[in-house]
Amino acid sequence: MVLVRQELGDVLRDFRLQKGRTLRQVASKASVALGYLSEVERGQKEASSEIIASVADALDTPVSVIMREVGDRLAVLEGLDVPDALPADFGERYTRGLVADGMRRPDLVAH
């Protein structure tokens, strides 16, 4: 069985190590208990969205980048192809879909 918490923990650890930071440094900056963050990284605890956001901020990494990596790793484990990028017309198709659904949002639709 694929566990999201395990993949999330692996991704957080990988990003932390890539940034050359210790568990103690990240926990301190994120205001998270060292032991708890260790358990999250080992996939033993579920992290709330608030904890994920705090750790991402401590790692100077957008939450979306972390979650994208988690999603990509889960897809590989599930045997799915993972595209390297979104289709070129993704934004256009998304905008057309919003307008067609009557959900036009000025902040999302280019004029």
Side-chain angles (χ1 to χ4, degrees):
M1 174 178 16
V2 176
L3 294 177
V4 174
R5 73 172 185 254
Q6 184 66 54
E7 293 309 312
L8 176 62
D10 289 346
V11 168
L12 291 175
R13 182 184 308 108
D14 290 348
F15 274 97
R16 178 176 60 77
L17 294 174
Q18 286 172 11
K19 300 276 184 168
R21 303 212 180 119
T22 66
L23 195 60
R24 185 175 306 281
Q25 289 170 326
V26 173
S28 176
K29 188 170 180 187
S31 299
V32 175
L34 177 67
Y36 182 76
L37 183 56
S38 175
E39 289 177 311
V40 168
E41 281 194 359
R42 288 181 281 136
Q44 295 176 335
K45 294 282 185 186
E46 297 277 352
S48 69
S49 58
E50 290 86 0
I51 296 292
I52 295 168
S54 292
V55 173
D57 188 52
L59 293 171
D60 300 316
T61 304
V63 173
S64 60
V65 171
I66 290 170
M67 298 310 289
R68 170 76 190 260
E69 181 64 23
V70 171
D72 287 351
R73 291 182 186 197
L74 290 170
V76 168
L77 290 171
E78 295 171 338
L80 302 174
D81 284 330
V82 180
D84 288 336
L86 294 173
D89 65 341
F90 176 79
E92 182 181 318
R93 287 187 302 169
Y94 178 72
T95 301
R96 277 198 313 263
L98 286 176
V99 173
D101 290 341
M103 297 172 44
R104 183 179 177 118
R105 289 188 48 200
D107 57 320
L108 294 177
V109 180
H111 299 285

